[in-house]
Amino acid sequence: AAPQGPPVYVDLAYLPGSWSARTVDEEFFRRIRSLCYVVSGDDHLKEGVLRPLLDALLAGKHQWGIDIQVTLIPTFDSAVMHEWYQETHERQQELGITVLGSNSTVAMQDETFPACKVEF
């Protein structure tokens, strides 16, 4: 277990992908307080740990005790994400969490991929 200490505030945090995503729990979100969390890693391993990770965000943010707006930025489309969004939408609003979706695409060289613009 990590030693107790004050939370760390950042503007942007990338959440670990693949097997490392299993390390992101309620304590992570209690201690790493970000204005924006990027959820990346469109792979089968991420799908298996995505729901617990998203639920941990809600539980950890609940413990902040201060009103800071948080934006969650998924970089891939996921049935798990859609289900979580629908089931917890009211709770997200109570906690000041916005899930950023985008229908924009970026064309770069020979590929096109979804994208969104984040400004600070």
Side-chain angles (χ1 to χ4, degrees):
Q4 290 294 319
V8 175
Y9 293 87
V10 296
D11 290 329
L12 181 70
Y14 281 85
L15 299 177
S18 297
W19 290 107
S20 297
R22 298 176 191 274
T23 64
V24 179
D25 58 7
E26 181 179 335
E27 181 66 9
F28 175 89
F29 289 107
R30 188 192 68 72
R31 297 186 69 181
I32 307 299
R33 299 180 182 187
S34 182
L35 296 176
C36 297
Y37 292 101
V38 176
V39 182
S40 62
D42 185 11
D43 59 37
H44 69 284
L45 297 174
K46 187 63 150 213
E47 283 290 316
V49 296
L50 186 56
R51 181 63 190 241
L53 183 145
L54 296 170
D55 289 338
L57 169 61
L58 295 175
K61 175 77 166 66
H62 176 74
Q63 295 181 38
W64 290 12
I66 53 177
D67 188 26
I68 296 176
Q69 183 67 35
V70 168
T71 302
L72 181 66
I73 306 168
T75 64
F76 59 97
D77 194 28
S78 162
V80 173
M81 176 69 76
H82 287 278
E83 181 180 294
W84 175 83
Y85 179 83
Q86 293 297 324
E87 291 176 5
T88 65
H89 185 69
E90 188 175 305
R91 185 76 175 132
Q92 295 166 43
Q93 288 180 321
E94 291 171 5
L95 293 171
I97 298 172
T98 300
V99 178
L100 187 64
S102 175
N103 292 329
S104 299
T105 57
V106 172
M108 188 177 291
Q109 295 176 347
D110 293 335
E111 64 179 313
T112 302
F113 47 89
C116 62
K117 180 179 179 182
V118 179
E119 293 184 17
F120 292 95

mmCIF file of all heavy atoms in Angstrom, residues 40-88:
data_model
loop_
_atom_site.group_PDB
_atom_site.id
_atom_site.type_symbol
_atom_site.label_atom_id
_atom_site.label_comp_id
_atom_site.label_asym_id
_atom_site.label_seq_id
_atom_site.Cartn_x
_atom_site.Cartn_y
_atom_site.Cartn_z
ATOM 1 N N SER A 40 -7.823 5.375 -22.579
ATOM 2 C CA SER A 40 -7.410 4.887 -23.890
ATOM 3 C C SER A 40 -7.158 3.388 -23.817
ATOM 4 O O SER A 40 -7.224 2.788 -22.746
ATOM 5 C CB SER A 40 -6.148 5.619 -24.358
ATOM 6 O OG SER A 40 -5.093 5.373 -23.462
ATOM 7 N N GLY A 41 -6.854 2.803 -24.936
ATOM 8 C CA GLY A 41 -6.534 1.378 -24.947
ATOM 9 C C GLY A 41 -7.673 0.532 -25.439
ATOM 10 O O GLY A 41 -8.220 -0.265 -24.697
ATOM 11 N N ASP A 42 -8.059 0.696 -26.686
ATOM 12 C CA ASP A 42 -9.153 -0.052 -27.280
ATOM 13 C C ASP A 42 -8.691 -1.485 -27.542
ATOM 14 O O ASP A 42 -8.259 -1.826 -28.630
ATOM 15 C CB ASP A 42 -9.593 0.627 -28.580
ATOM 16 C CG ASP A 42 -10.810 -0.027 -29.191
ATOM 17 O OD1 ASP A 42 -11.436 -0.866 -28.523
ATOM 18 O OD2 ASP A 42 -11.127 0.310 -30.336
ATOM 19 N N ASP A 43 -8.731 -2.306 -26.523
ATOM 20 C CA ASP A 43 -8.353 -3.704 -26.696
ATOM 21 C C ASP A 43 -9.205 -4.573 -25.776
ATOM 22 O O ASP A 43 -9.907 -4.081 -24.912
ATOM 23 C CB ASP A 43 -6.855 -3.913 -26.436
ATOM 24 C CG ASP A 43 -6.425 -3.504 -25.033
ATOM 25 O OD1 ASP A 43 -7.186 -3.715 -24.070
ATOM 26 O OD2 ASP A 43 -5.317 -2.981 -24.889
ATOM 27 N N HIS A 44 -9.140 -5.868 -25.973
ATOM 28 C CA HIS A 44 -9.984 -6.777 -25.191
ATOM 29 C C HIS A 44 -9.633 -6.755 -23.705
ATOM 30 O O HIS A 44 -10.483 -6.985 -22.867
ATOM 31 C CB HIS A 44 -9.906 -8.191 -25.755
ATOM 32 C CG HIS A 44 -8.566 -8.849 -25.561
ATOM 33 N ND1 HIS A 44 -7.473 -8.525 -26.334
ATOM 34 C CD2 HIS A 44 -8.153 -9.755 -24.669
ATOM 35 C CE1 HIS A 44 -6.434 -9.233 -25.930
ATOM 36 N NE2 HIS A 44 -6.812 -9.989 -24.933
ATOM 37 N N LEU A 45 -8.389 -6.467 -23.356
ATOM 38 C CA LEU A 45 -8.010 -6.406 -21.947
ATOM 39 C C LEU A 45 -8.680 -5.224 -21.255
ATOM 40 O O LEU A 45 -9.121 -5.324 -20.109
ATOM 41 C CB LEU A 45 -6.491 -6.290 -21.803
ATOM 42 C CG LEU A 45 -5.672 -7.462 -22.326
ATOM 43 C CD1 LEU A 45 -4.183 -7.149 -22.241
ATOM 44 C CD2 LEU A 45 -6.002 -8.730 -21.562
ATOM 45 N N LYS A 46 -8.759 -4.088 -21.931
ATOM 46 C CA LYS A 46 -9.371 -2.889 -21.350
ATOM 47 C C LYS A 46 -10.862 -3.108 -21.117
ATOM 48 O O LYS A 46 -11.397 -2.688 -20.099
ATOM 49 C CB LYS A 46 -9.135 -1.698 -22.278
ATOM 50 C CG LYS A 46 -9.563 -0.379 -21.711
ATOM 51 C CD LYS A 46 -8.759 -0.019 -20.472
ATOM 52 C CE LYS A 46 -8.631 1.458 -20.338
ATOM 53 N NZ LYS A 46 -7.420 1.909 -19.767
ATOM 54 N N GLU A 47 -11.545 -3.775 -22.032
ATOM 55 C CA GLU A 47 -12.978 -4.023 -21.873
ATOM 56 C C GLU A 47 -13.253 -4.776 -20.574
ATOM 57 O O GLU A 47 -14.238 -4.515 -19.908
ATOM 58 C CB GLU A 47 -13.527 -4.814 -23.063
ATOM 59 C CG GLU A 47 -13.728 -3.989 -24.301
ATOM 60 C CD GLU A 47 -14.871 -2.998 -24.184
ATOM 61 O OE1 GLU A 47 -15.949 -3.354 -23.690
ATOM 62 O OE2 GLU A 47 -14.676 -1.847 -24.608
ATOM 63 N N GLY A 48 -12.378 -5.695 -20.213
ATOM 64 C CA GLY A 48 -12.576 -6.500 -19.008
ATOM 65 C C GLY A 48 -12.432 -5.718 -17.713
ATOM 66 O O GLY A 48 -12.998 -6.105 -16.697
ATOM 67 N N VAL A 49 -11.680 -4.631 -17.735
ATOM 68 C CA VAL A 49 -11.458 -3.861 -16.509
ATOM 69 C C VAL A 49 -12.087 -2.475 -16.560
ATOM 70 O O VAL A 49 -11.980 -1.713 -15.616
ATOM 71 C CB VAL A 49 -9.945 -3.721 -16.198
ATOM 72 C CG1 VAL A 49 -9.328 -5.077 -15.924
ATOM 73 C CG2 VAL A 49 -9.224 -2.992 -17.304
ATOM 74 N N LEU A 50 -12.770 -2.177 -17.664
ATOM 75 C CA LEU A 50 -13.302 -0.827 -17.848
ATOM 76 C C LEU A 50 -14.391 -0.479 -16.831
ATOM 77 O O LEU A 50 -14.363 0.598 -16.235
ATOM 78 C CB LEU A 50 -13.833 -0.651 -19.274
ATOM 79 C CG LEU A 50 -14.285 0.748 -19.664
ATOM 80 C CD1 LEU A 50 -13.178 1.776 -19.451
ATOM 81 C CD2 LEU A 50 -14.767 0.768 -21.108
ATOM 82 N N ARG A 51 -15.335 -1.352 -16.604
ATOM 83 C CA ARG A 51 -16.429 -1.033 -15.681
ATOM 84 C C ARG A 51 -15.913 -0.788 -14.261
ATOM 85 O O ARG A 51 -16.277 0.215 -13.640
ATOM 86 C CB ARG A 51 -17.491 -2.146 -15.715
ATOM 87 C CG ARG A 51 -18.688 -1.901 -14.794
ATOM 88 C CD ARG A 51 -19.441 -0.640 -15.224
ATOM 89 N NE ARG A 51 -20.435 -0.218 -14.273
ATOM 90 C CZ ARG A 51 -21.726 -0.136 -14.523
ATOM 91 N NH1 ARG A 51 -22.204 -0.488 -15.701
ATOM 92 N NH2 ARG A 51 -22.558 0.277 -13.602
ATOM 93 N N PRO A 52 -15.062 -1.658 -13.697
ATOM 94 C CA PRO A 52 -14.526 -1.362 -12.367
ATOM 95 C C PRO A 52 -13.749 -0.046 -12.324
ATOM 96 O O PRO A 52 -13.814 0.694 -11.336
ATOM 97 C CB PRO A 52 -13.608 -2.549 -12.055
ATOM 98 C CG PRO A 52 -14.100 -3.651 -12.919
ATOM 99 C CD PRO A 52 -14.647 -2.992 -14.151
ATOM 100 N N LEU A 53 -13.021 0.283 -13.387
ATOM 101 C CA LEU A 53 -12.275 1.531 -13.450
ATOM 102 C C LEU A 53 -13.233 2.724 -13.416
ATOM 103 O O LEU A 53 -13.022 3.678 -12.664
ATOM 104 C CB LEU A 53 -11.437 1.544 -14.728
ATOM 105 C CG LEU A 53 -10.525 2.739 -14.946
ATOM 106 C CD1 LEU A 53 -9.252 2.280 -15.639
ATOM 107 C CD2 LEU A 53 -11.189 3.793 -15.782
ATOM 108 N N LEU A 54 -14.302 2.671 -14.191
ATOM 109 C CA LEU A 54 -15.277 3.763 -14.239
ATOM 110 C C LEU A 54 -16.016 3.903 -12.911
ATOM 111 O O LEU A 54 -16.257 5.017 -12.429
ATOM 112 C CB LEU A 54 -16.257 3.542 -15.386
ATOM 113 C CG LEU A 54 -15.642 3.565 -16.785
ATOM 114 C CD1 LEU A 54 -16.658 3.099 -17.824
ATOM 115 C CD2 LEU A 54 -15.106 4.941 -17.123
ATOM 116 N N ASP A 55 -16.362 2.782 -12.297
ATOM 117 C CA ASP A 55 -17.019 2.820 -10.987
ATOM 118 C C ASP A 55 -16.082 3.392 -9.921
ATOM 119 O O ASP A 55 -16.504 4.114 -9.017
ATOM 120 C CB ASP A 55 -17.496 1.425 -10.577
ATOM 121 C CG ASP A 55 -18.686 0.951 -11.398
ATOM 122 O OD1 ASP A 55 -19.402 1.798 -11.979
ATOM 123 O OD2 ASP A 55 -18.908 -0.278 -11.454
ATOM 124 N N ALA A 56 -14.782 3.090 -10.055
ATOM 125 C CA ALA A 56 -13.792 3.627 -9.123
ATOM 126 C C ALA A 56 -13.702 5.148 -9.248
ATOM 127 O O ALA A 56 -13.508 5.846 -8.250
ATOM 128 C CB ALA A 56 -12.425 2.993 -9.370
ATOM 129 N N LEU A 57 -13.858 5.663 -10.463
ATOM 130 C CA LEU A 57 -13.866 7.115 -10.658
ATOM 131 C C LEU A 57 -15.006 7.742 -9.858
ATOM 132 O O LEU A 57 -14.806 8.730 -9.153
ATOM 133 C CB LEU A 57 -14.003 7.463 -12.140
ATOM 134 C CG LEU A 57 -14.279 8.938 -12.469
ATOM 135 C CD1 LEU A 57 -13.156 9.838 -11.981
ATOM 136 C CD2 LEU A 57 -14.514 9.115 -13.959
ATOM 137 N N LEU A 58 -16.185 7.172 -9.944
ATOM 138 C CA LEU A 58 -17.329 7.709 -9.193
ATOM 139 C C LEU A 58 -17.071 7.660 -7.694
ATOM 140 O O LEU A 58 -17.313 8.636 -6.979
ATOM 141 C CB LEU A 58 -18.604 6.929 -9.528
ATOM 142 C CG LEU A 58 -19.117 7.039 -10.962
ATOM 143 C CD1 LEU A 58 -20.317 6.117 -11.150
ATOM 144 C CD2 LEU A 58 -19.465 8.459 -11.318
ATOM 145 N N ALA A 59 -16.593 6.534 -7.211
ATOM 146 C CA ALA A 59 -16.350 6.375 -5.776
ATOM 147 C C ALA A 59 -15.236 7.296 -5.291
ATOM 148 O O ALA A 59 -15.346 7.918 -4.226
ATOM 149 C CB ALA A 59 -16.003 4.920 -5.457
ATOM 150 N N GLY A 60 -14.160 7.398 -6.051
ATOM 151 C CA GLY A 60 -13.046 8.259 -5.653
ATOM 152 C C GLY A 60 -13.419 9.728 -5.697
ATOM 153 O O GLY A 60 -13.099 10.486 -4.776
ATOM 154 N N LYS A 61 -14.109 10.147 -6.732
ATOM 155 C CA LYS A 61 -14.525 11.558 -6.865
ATOM 156 C C LYS A 61 -15.481 11.943 -5.743
ATOM 157 O O LYS A 61 -15.453 13.073 -5.254
ATOM 158 C CB LYS A 61 -15.182 11.777 -8.237
ATOM 159 C CG LYS A 61 -15.775 13.153 -8.478
ATOM 160 C CD LYS A 61 -14.722 14.190 -8.779
ATOM 161 C CE LYS A 61 -15.250 15.475 -9.356
ATOM 162 N NZ LYS A 61 -16.089 16.287 -8.518
ATOM 163 N N HIS A 62 -16.295 11.018 -5.308
ATOM 164 C CA HIS A 62 -17.232 11.267 -4.205
ATOM 165 C C HIS A 62 -16.492 11.700 -2.929
ATOM 166 O O HIS A 62 -16.998 12.499 -2.146
ATOM 167 C CB HIS A 62 -18.065 10.010 -3.930
ATOM 168 C CG HIS A 62 -18.975 10.133 -2.761
ATOM 169 N ND1 HIS A 62 -20.132 10.889 -2.790
ATOM 170 C CD2 HIS A 62 -18.890 9.628 -1.514
ATOM 171 C CE1 HIS A 62 -20.721 10.826 -1.614
ATOM 172 N NE2 HIS A 62 -19.988 10.065 -0.826
ATOM 173 N N GLN A 63 -15.281 11.210 -2.753
ATOM 174 C CA GLN A 63 -14.497 11.498 -1.549
ATOM 175 C C GLN A 63 -13.764 12.835 -1.604
ATOM 176 O O GLN A 63 -13.185 13.257 -0.608
ATOM 177 C CB GLN A 63 -13.486 10.377 -1.304
ATOM 178 C CG GLN A 63 -14.140 9.058 -0.991
ATOM 179 C CD GLN A 63 -13.117 7.990 -0.737
ATOM 180 O OE1 GLN A 63 -12.072 8.246 -0.131
ATOM 181 N NE2 GLN A 63 -13.384 6.789 -1.188
ATOM 182 N N TRP A 64 -13.770 13.512 -2.741
ATOM 183 C CA TRP A 64 -13.023 14.760 -2.854
ATOM 184 C C TRP A 64 -13.537 15.826 -1.911
ATOM 185 O O TRP A 64 -12.753 16.611 -1.385
ATOM 186 C CB TRP A 64 -13.050 15.288 -4.277
ATOM 187 C CG TRP A 64 -12.246 14.479 -5.256
ATOM 188 C CD1 TRP A 64 -11.707 13.242 -5.053
ATOM 189 C CD2 TRP A 64 -11.910 14.842 -6.577
ATOM 190 N NE1 TRP A 64 -11.067 12.813 -6.181
ATOM 191 C CE2 TRP A 64 -11.174 13.784 -7.142
ATOM 192 C CE3 TRP A 64 -12.176 15.953 -7.351
ATOM 193 C CZ2 TRP A 64 -10.683 13.811 -8.438
ATOM 194 C CZ3 TRP A 64 -11.692 15.986 -8.654
ATOM 195 C CH2 TRP A 64 -10.952 14.932 -9.179
ATOM 196 N N GLY A 65 -14.828 15.907 -1.731
ATOM 197 C CA GLY A 65 -15.385 16.907 -0.817
ATOM 198 C C GLY A 65 -15.336 18.331 -1.342
ATOM 199 O O GLY A 65 -15.706 19.251 -0.635
ATOM 200 N N ILE A 66 -14.872 18.538 -2.544
ATOM 201 C CA ILE A 66 -14.846 19.865 -3.152
ATOM 202 C C ILE A 66 -15.455 19.759 -4.545
ATOM 203 O O ILE A 66 -15.441 18.699 -5.170
ATOM 204 C CB ILE A 66 -13.402 20.439 -3.230
ATOM 205 C CG1 ILE A 66 -12.462 19.456 -3.925
ATOM 206 C CG2 ILE A 66 -12.889 20.793 -1.861
ATOM 207 C CD1 ILE A 66 -11.063 19.963 -4.112
ATOM 208 N N ASP A 67 -15.978 20.869 -5.011
ATOM 209 C CA ASP A 67 -16.684 20.876 -6.274
ATOM 210 C C ASP A 67 -15.744 21.249 -7.419
ATOM 211 O O ASP A 67 -15.537 22.421 -7.707
ATOM 212 C CB ASP A 67 -17.866 21.842 -6.206
ATOM 213 C CG ASP A 67 -18.756 21.748 -7.417
ATOM 214 O OD1 ASP A 67 -18.785 20.681 -8.053
ATOM 215 O OD2 ASP A 67 -19.428 22.751 -7.734
ATOM 216 N N ILE A 68 -15.157 20.248 -8.043
ATOM 217 C CA ILE A 68 -14.295 20.438 -9.204
ATOM 218 C C ILE A 68 -14.902 19.653 -10.357
ATOM 219 O O ILE A 68 -15.192 18.458 -10.221
ATOM 220 C CB ILE A 68 -12.856 19.930 -8.947
ATOM 221 C CG1 ILE A 68 -12.185 20.744 -7.845
ATOM 222 C CG2 ILE A 68 -12.032 19.977 -10.227
ATOM 223 C CD1 ILE A 68 -10.807 20.246 -7.463
ATOM 224 N N GLN A 69 -15.118 20.327 -11.478
ATOM 225 C CA GLN A 69 -15.657 19.668 -12.665
ATOM 226 C C GLN A 69 -14.589 18.763 -13.266
ATOM 227 O O GLN A 69 -13.435 19.169 -13.406
ATOM 228 C CB GLN A 69 -16.096 20.713 -13.692
ATOM 229 C CG GLN A 69 -16.736 20.137 -14.931
ATOM 230 C CD GLN A 69 -18.077 19.470 -14.657
ATOM 231 O OE1 GLN A 69 -18.836 19.924 -13.812
ATOM 232 N NE2 GLN A 69 -18.359 18.398 -15.357
ATOM 233 N N VAL A 70 -14.965 17.540 -13.610
ATOM 234 C CA VAL A 70 -14.055 16.562 -14.189
ATOM 235 C C VAL A 70 -14.601 16.130 -15.545
ATOM 236 O O VAL A 70 -15.802 15.910 -15.693
ATOM 237 C CB VAL A 70 -13.915 15.331 -13.255
ATOM 238 C CG1 VAL A 70 -13.229 14.182 -13.957
ATOM 239 C CG2 VAL A 70 -13.166 15.706 -11.997
ATOM 240 N N THR A 71 -13.701 16.000 -16.512
ATOM 241 C CA THR A 71 -14.076 15.518 -17.832
ATOM 242 C C THR A 71 -13.408 14.182 -18.083
ATOM 243 O O THR A 71 -12.200 14.045 -17.904
ATOM 244 C CB THR A 71 -13.651 16.524 -18.923
ATOM 245 O OG1 THR A 71 -14.258 17.791 -18.645
ATOM 246 C CG2 THR A 71 -14.074 16.053 -20.301
ATOM 247 N N LEU A 72 -14.198 13.208 -18.482
ATOM 248 C CA LEU A 72 -13.700 11.886 -18.833
ATOM 249 C C LEU A 72 -13.677 11.801 -20.352
ATOM 250 O O LEU A 72 -14.692 12.052 -21.016
ATOM 251 C CB LEU A 72 -14.614 10.806 -18.249
ATOM 252 C CG LEU A 72 -14.232 9.367 -18.502
ATOM 253 C CD1 LEU A 72 -12.917 9.036 -17.795
ATOM 254 C CD2 LEU A 72 -15.340 8.446 -18.019
ATOM 255 N N ILE A 73 -12.511 11.468 -20.920
ATOM 256 C CA ILE A 73 -12.341 11.454 -22.369
ATOM 257 C C ILE A 73 -11.992 10.038 -22.823
ATOM 258 O O ILE A 73 -10.839 9.617 -22.729
ATOM 259 C CB ILE A 73 -11.227 12.426 -22.810
ATOM 260 C CG1 ILE A 73 -11.485 13.819 -22.253
ATOM 261 C CG2 ILE A 73 -11.097 12.444 -24.325
ATOM 262 C CD1 ILE A 73 -10.318 14.769 -22.383
ATOM 263 N N PRO A 74 -12.973 9.294 -23.303
ATOM 264 C CA PRO A 74 -12.656 7.969 -23.865
ATOM 265 C C PRO A 74 -12.124 8.134 -25.288
ATOM 266 O O PRO A 74 -12.610 8.967 -26.043
ATOM 267 C CB PRO A 74 -14.009 7.246 -23.863
ATOM 268 C CG PRO A 74 -15.030 8.328 -23.857
ATOM 269 C CD PRO A 74 -14.394 9.549 -23.239
ATOM 270 N N THR A 75 -11.118 7.335 -25.632
ATOM 271 C CA THR A 75 -10.544 7.433 -26.976
ATOM 272 C C THR A 75 -11.033 6.311 -27.882
ATOM 273 O O THR A 75 -10.495 6.120 -28.968
ATOM 274 C CB THR A 75 -9.002 7.403 -26.925
ATOM 275 O OG1 THR A 75 -8.587 6.135 -26.409
ATOM 276 C CG2 THR A 75 -8.457 8.536 -26.088
ATOM 277 N N PHE A 76 -12.031 5.582 -27.430
ATOM 278 C CA PHE A 76 -12.566 4.480 -28.226
ATOM 279 C C PHE A 76 -14.032 4.283 -27.872
ATOM 280 O O PHE A 76 -14.486 4.704 -26.818
ATOM 281 C CB PHE A 76 -11.779 3.186 -27.974
ATOM 282 C CG PHE A 76 -11.797 2.745 -26.527
ATOM 283 C CD1 PHE A 76 -12.691 1.784 -26.089
ATOM 284 C CD2 PHE A 76 -10.919 3.296 -25.611
ATOM 285 C CE1 PHE A 76 -12.708 1.383 -24.757
ATOM 286 C CE2 PHE A 76 -10.922 2.899 -24.282
ATOM 287 C CZ PHE A 76 -11.821 1.935 -23.856
ATOM 288 N N ASP A 77 -14.757 3.667 -28.774
ATOM 289 C CA ASP A 77 -16.162 3.380 -28.546
ATOM 290 C C ASP A 77 -16.266 2.027 -27.858
ATOM 291 O O ASP A 77 -15.543 1.095 -28.208
ATOM 292 C CB ASP A 77 -16.913 3.369 -29.868
ATOM 293 C CG ASP A 77 -18.410 3.426 -29.678
ATOM 294 O OD1 ASP A 77 -18.861 3.990 -28.656
ATOM 295 O OD2 ASP A 77 -19.135 2.917 -30.546
ATOM 296 N N SER A 78 -17.142 1.937 -26.874
ATOM 297 C CA SER A 78 -17.233 0.720 -26.084
ATOM 298 C C SER A 78 -18.658 0.513 -25.592
ATOM 299 O O SER A 78 -19.278 1.438 -25.067
ATOM 300 C CB SER A 78 -16.280 0.842 -24.895
ATOM 301 O OG SER A 78 -16.600 -0.077 -23.892
ATOM 302 N N ALA A 79 -19.144 -0.712 -25.712
ATOM 303 C CA ALA A 79 -20.467 -1.043 -25.185
ATOM 304 C C ALA A 79 -20.474 -0.897 -23.666
ATOM 305 O O ALA A 79 -21.460 -0.441 -23.077
ATOM 306 C CB ALA A 79 -20.850 -2.464 -25.595
ATOM 307 N N VAL A 80 -19.371 -1.256 -23.019
ATOM 308 C CA VAL A 80 -19.260 -1.124 -21.568
ATOM 309 C C VAL A 80 -19.370 0.342 -21.157
ATOM 310 O O VAL A 80 -20.062 0.687 -20.203
ATOM 311 C CB VAL A 80 -17.932 -1.738 -21.054
ATOM 312 C CG1 VAL A 80 -17.726 -1.448 -19.573
ATOM 313 C CG2 VAL A 80 -17.893 -3.222 -21.329
ATOM 314 N N MET A 81 -18.704 1.225 -21.902
ATOM 315 C CA MET A 81 -18.759 2.653 -21.610
ATOM 316 C C MET A 81 -20.184 3.179 -21.774
ATOM 317 O O MET A 81 -20.670 3.932 -20.943
ATOM 318 C CB MET A 81 -17.798 3.420 -22.527
ATOM 319 C CG MET A 81 -17.845 4.932 -22.368
ATOM 320 S SD MET A 81 -17.200 5.550 -20.808
ATOM 321 C CE MET A 81 -15.464 5.378 -21.093
ATOM 322 N N HIS A 82 -20.845 2.784 -22.842
ATOM 323 C CA HIS A 82 -22.225 3.230 -23.077
ATOM 324 C C HIS A 82 -23.149 2.771 -21.948
ATOM 325 O O HIS A 82 -23.965 3.547 -21.461
ATOM 326 C CB HIS A 82 -22.751 2.703 -24.416
ATOM 327 C CG HIS A 82 -22.173 3.387 -25.598
ATOM 328 N ND1 HIS A 82 -22.634 4.591 -26.060
ATOM 329 C CD2 HIS A 82 -21.150 3.031 -26.417
ATOM 330 C CE1 HIS A 82 -21.936 4.949 -27.116
ATOM 331 N NE2 HIS A 82 -21.017 4.024 -27.350
ATOM 332 N N GLU A 83 -23.012 1.525 -21.541
ATOM 333 C CA GLU A 83 -23.841 0.978 -20.463
ATOM 334 C C GLU A 83 -23.593 1.733 -19.158
ATOM 335 O O GLU A 83 -24.528 2.120 -18.463
ATOM 336 C CB GLU A 83 -23.531 -0.509 -20.296
ATOM 337 C CG GLU A 83 -24.339 -1.192 -19.226
ATOM 338 C CD GLU A 83 -23.966 -2.661 -19.126
ATOM 339 O OE1 GLU A 83 -24.232 -3.404 -20.089
ATOM 340 O OE2 GLU A 83 -23.405 -3.047 -18.076
ATOM 341 N N TRP A 84 -22.325 1.935 -18.819
ATOM 342 C CA TRP A 84 -21.977 2.657 -17.590
ATOM 343 C C TRP A 84 -22.532 4.074 -17.635
ATOM 344 O O TRP A 84 -23.089 4.562 -16.653
ATOM 345 C CB TRP A 84 -20.463 2.679 -17.414
ATOM 346 C CG TRP A 84 -19.994 3.496 -16.258
ATOM 347 C CD1 TRP A 84 -19.929 3.093 -14.953
ATOM 348 C CD2 TRP A 84 -19.543 4.858 -16.279
ATOM 349 N NE1 TRP A 84 -19.454 4.123 -14.173
ATOM 350 C CE2 TRP A 84 -19.207 5.219 -14.959
ATOM 351 C CE3 TRP A 84 -19.373 5.797 -17.283
ATOM 352 C CZ2 TRP A 84 -18.723 6.474 -14.626
ATOM 353 C CZ3 TRP A 84 -18.892 7.051 -16.956
ATOM 354 C CH2 TRP A 84 -18.573 7.376 -15.640
ATOM 355 N N TYR A 85 -22.389 4.729 -18.772
ATOM 356 C CA TYR A 85 -22.870 6.098 -18.924
ATOM 357 C C TYR A 85 -24.369 6.170 -18.661
ATOM 358 O O TYR A 85 -24.832 7.034 -17.914
ATOM 359 C CB TYR A 85 -22.538 6.615 -20.327
ATOM 360 C CG TYR A 85 -23.021 8.031 -20.558
ATOM 361 C CD1 TYR A 85 -22.259 9.104 -20.133
ATOM 362 C CD2 TYR A 85 -24.242 8.281 -21.172
ATOM 363 C CE1 TYR A 85 -22.691 10.412 -20.326
ATOM 364 C CE2 TYR A 85 -24.683 9.584 -21.371
ATOM 365 C CZ TYR A 85 -23.910 10.640 -20.945
ATOM 366 O OH TYR A 85 -24.349 11.925 -21.122
ATOM 367 N N GLN A 86 -25.126 5.277 -19.256
ATOM 368 C CA GLN A 86 -26.574 5.280 -19.092
ATOM 369 C C GLN A 86 -26.981 4.971 -17.649
ATOM 370 O O GLN A 86 -27.860 5.615 -17.089
ATOM 371 C CB GLN A 86 -27.228 4.260 -20.033
ATOM 372 C CG GLN A 86 -27.105 4.621 -21.497
ATOM 373 C CD GLN A 86 -27.826 5.925 -21.837
ATOM 374 O OE1 GLN A 86 -28.868 6.236 -21.293
ATOM 375 N NE2 GLN A 86 -27.233 6.685 -22.741
ATOM 376 N N GLU A 87 -26.343 3.981 -17.049
ATOM 377 C CA GLU A 87 -26.709 3.540 -15.702
ATOM 378 C C GLU A 87 -26.318 4.537 -14.617
ATOM 379 O O GLU A 87 -26.940 4.569 -13.560
ATOM 380 C CB GLU A 87 -26.079 2.180 -15.399
ATOM 381 C CG GLU A 87 -26.669 1.056 -16.216
ATOM 382 C CD GLU A 87 -25.972 -0.260 -15.970
ATOM 383 O OE1 GLU A 87 -25.071 -0.336 -15.096
ATOM 384 O OE2 GLU A 87 -26.314 -1.239 -16.682
ATOM 385 N N THR A 88 -25.279 5.325 -14.854
ATOM 386 C CA THR A 88 -24.762 6.198 -13.795
ATOM 387 C C THR A 88 -24.856 7.678 -14.143
ATOM 388 O O THR A 88 -24.256 8.508 -13.455
ATOM 389 C CB THR A 88 -23.291 5.853 -13.471
ATOM 390 O OG1 THR A 88 -22.473 6.148 -14.613
ATOM 391 C CG2 THR A 88 -23.128 4.402 -13.064
#
